[in-house]
Amino acid sequence: MRLLLAAPRLLASPAAAPLCHGPRLPPTAPCRGASRRWGSSFNVPPSAEFVARPVGICSMLRLPVRASAEGLDAAFVGVPLDTGTSNRPGARFGPRQIRAESAMVRRHNASTGAAPFDSLLVADVGDVNVNLYNLPASCRLIREAFQKIVASGCVPLTLGGDHTITYPILQAMAEKHGPVGLVHVDAHTDTGDRALGEKIYHGTPFRRCVDEGLLDCSRVVQIGIRGSSYAPDPYKYCREQGFRVVLAEDCWFKSLVPLMAEVRQQLGAKPVYISFDIDGLDPAYAPGTGTPEIAGLTPSQALEIIRGCKGLNIVGCDLVEVAPMYDVSGNTALLGANLLFEMLCVLPGVKTM
C-alpha cells in the first residue's frame, strides 16, 4: 500500500525517555510512542494531564502512527488532494491541520458514553501518496490504498482532501461489500456529470458512483443540501436515482433526531458509508472550506446526524473539504477533528462506559 506517513514513528526506547520526563507523568505510563497507555489493551490518546498537548508527532488524536492497517480495527488515513476543487483550493492541507487540532479531543465521549479506545484498536496510518498533477492517477492511488485497508478488515476514517476522494474510496468499499448505503452531509449533491469537459472532480463523485453501481441508491440520504443552481430543478437526478434529499431549509430551527430515526430504518442492517463535507455546515461555523454556502447546518445538528448513525453497519467514513487557510482561527479543522471522533464513536463494536 502506498502510504506516506505523516511523520516518523517515535521510539519507546530509553533514548526517547527524556522527551517524556515531567513532574506529572505517572510512573506506570509508558513513554510517548508506545502503543499501550494507562492500563488499556488498546491504543489510547495521551491525557493532557500528564503529557502536554504540543508534545509528540502530529498524528490524529496523538495516536501511534502505523505503516499499515493490518491488525487494526479502525484507522485514520489522510488523503491530501485538492486537484478536483472548482473554487478555492487548499483542502490538500486539511489532513495536516485536522491532525494538529485533534490534540484537543479526549479519550471518552461524555455525552454518549462511547469509549472507542477501550473497544477498538485504532491508529493513524498516515497519508495516501497522491499525485497532485494527475487527478485520474490520484484516484487510482487512493483506490489501491483503500483496497488494502478494507481487505485487512480495518474500518477507514478518512481526512480529506476534496470530495473527489470519496469516489475511489467507494470503489474499494464496493469491491468488498457490494453496493453500499450512504449518509451524505453536504451543501451540494455532488452528482454533476462533467465540468470543463472533465468527468472527475469534486462535483461528480456520486454521479460516477451511480454509473459504476457502487451505491445502493434506495439507501442513500443527502442532508443539508442548499444554494443557488444552474438548473431550475437541481435535485431531479438524485430523486430519479431514489436518493432521499433533505434540504437545509427543512432542517432549520429543529432537532434532526427524528430524521435520523427514519434514516436508520431506511438504511437497515446492510453496509453504510458516511461522507461528511464540512461545507454542509454554515460558514459561520466552518468558514475554512472551498465552496461555502450560506444558511447551513449547525454543529449540534452535525452531532445529531452522526450520533444518529449509531447502530448502523458502518464500513467507512470521511470528513472532506477542510481548507485551513480560509480560517486562521483553526476552528473549521477543530470541528472536523471532533466530527471524525464522533464517527469513530458510532462504529460497530464501540462499547459505552
Side-chain angles (χ1 to χ4, degrees):
M1 175 169 52
R2 294 189 178 186
L3 291 177
L4 181 63
L5 296 184
R9 277 191 276 183
L10 294 169
L11 301 176
S13 66
L19 296 175
C20 290
H21 286 173
R24 303 189 69 184
L25 185 65
T28 57
C31 183
R32 68 187 177 105
S35 62
R36 304 287 185 261
R37 292 185 175 91
W38 296 296
S40 175
S41 60
F42 299 97
N43 296 331
V44 178
S47 169
E49 296 174 300
F50 307 114
V51 180
R53 285 196 171 97
V55 170
I57 62 173
C58 190
S59 67
M60 187 63 181
L61 305 175
R62 298 194 293 167
L63 289 165
V65 176
R66 293 280 188 88
S68 82
E70 292 290 338
L72 298 176
D73 299 308
F76 292 101
V77 54
V79 185
L81 180 73
D82 62 3
T83 313
T85 52
S86 59
N87 191 38
R88 304 187 303 197
R92 68 182 65 181
F93 301 111
R96 184 171 297 183
Q97 190 65 31
I98 292 170
R99 285 183 172 108
E101 298 295 342
S102 75
M104 271 298 298
V105 183
R106 301 169 184 88
R107 174 176 175 177
H108 294 112
N109 191 323
S111 297
T112 67
F117 304 108
D118 296 320
S119 311
L120 306 175
L121 186 59
V122 190
D124 187 328
V125 295
D127 294 332
V128 177
N129 188 16
V130 295
N131 184 340
L132 296 176
Y133 312 118
N134 188 320
L135 192 53
S138 286
C139 287
R140 175 181 55 80
L141 292 168
I142 296 166
R143 181 180 68 251
E144 291 172 351
F146 278 82
Q147 284 170 333
K148 294 181 179 179
I149 293 172
V150 173
S152 73
C154 176
V155 176
L157 298 106
T158 305
L159 293 64
D162 74 57
H163 222 151
T164 310
I165 71 173
T166 306
Y167 165 47
I169 293 173
L170 286 176
Q171 287 179 318
M173 289 289 165
E175 186 175 301
K176 177 171 182 178
H177 301 288
V180 298
L182 177 70
V183 176
H184 172 209
V185 183
D186 205 321
H188 316 97
T189 63
D190 293 351
T191 54
D193 189 23
R194 57 178 74 222
L196 303 179
E198 299 299 324
K199 299 190 73 171
I200 299 176
Y201 78 107
H202 75 164
T204 65
F206 300 112
R207 182 81 161 236
R208 301 286 80 84
C209 289
V210 171
D211 290 345
E212 297 182 18
L214 310 180
L215 295 174
D216 181 351
C217 294
S218 65
R219 297 192 307 121
V220 173
V221 180
Q222 299 181 303
I223 306 172
I225 308 301
R226 64 191 188 278
S228 54
S229 66
Y230 295 114
D233 185 4
Y235 315 125
K236 182 174 182 288
Y237 172 84
C238 298
R239 295 189 176 111
E240 286 177 344
Q241 309 314 308
F243 296 1
R244 177 173 184 176
V245 180
V246 181
L247 302 181
E249 59 202 71
D250 295 327
C251 301
W252 293 346
F253 313 116
K254 65 178 67 171
S255 168
L256 300 186
V257 170
L259 168 66
M260 293 311 297
E262 296 174 6
V263 169
R264 287 195 301 275
Q265 184 174 13
Q266 178 182 349
L267 269 58
K270 296 179 181 179
V272 174
Y273 187 87
I274 300 174
S275 187
F276 200 117
D277 188 325
I278 203 69
D279 72 25
L281 299 182
D282 191 273
Y285 306 106
T289 191
T291 51
E293 302 281 1
I294 66 167
L297 303 175
T298 67
S300 58
Q301 289 176 319
L303 293 182
E304 288 178 326
I305 292 169
I306 297 173
R307 291 174 182 177
C309 292
K310 179 69 174 178
L312 294 176
N313 182 13
I314 300 166
V315 295
C317 312
D318 64 50
L319 188 288
V320 299
E321 299 285 357
V322 171
M325 64 285 297
Y326 308 117
D327 181 4
V328 295
S329 71
N331 283 345
T332 305
L334 176 64
L335 183 51
N338 277 275
L339 295 180
L340 282 159
F341 171 69
E342 293 284 341
M343 293 177 194
L344 175 64
C345 288
V346 299
L347 292 186
V350 171
K351 303 172 184 176
T352 55
M353 294 180 286

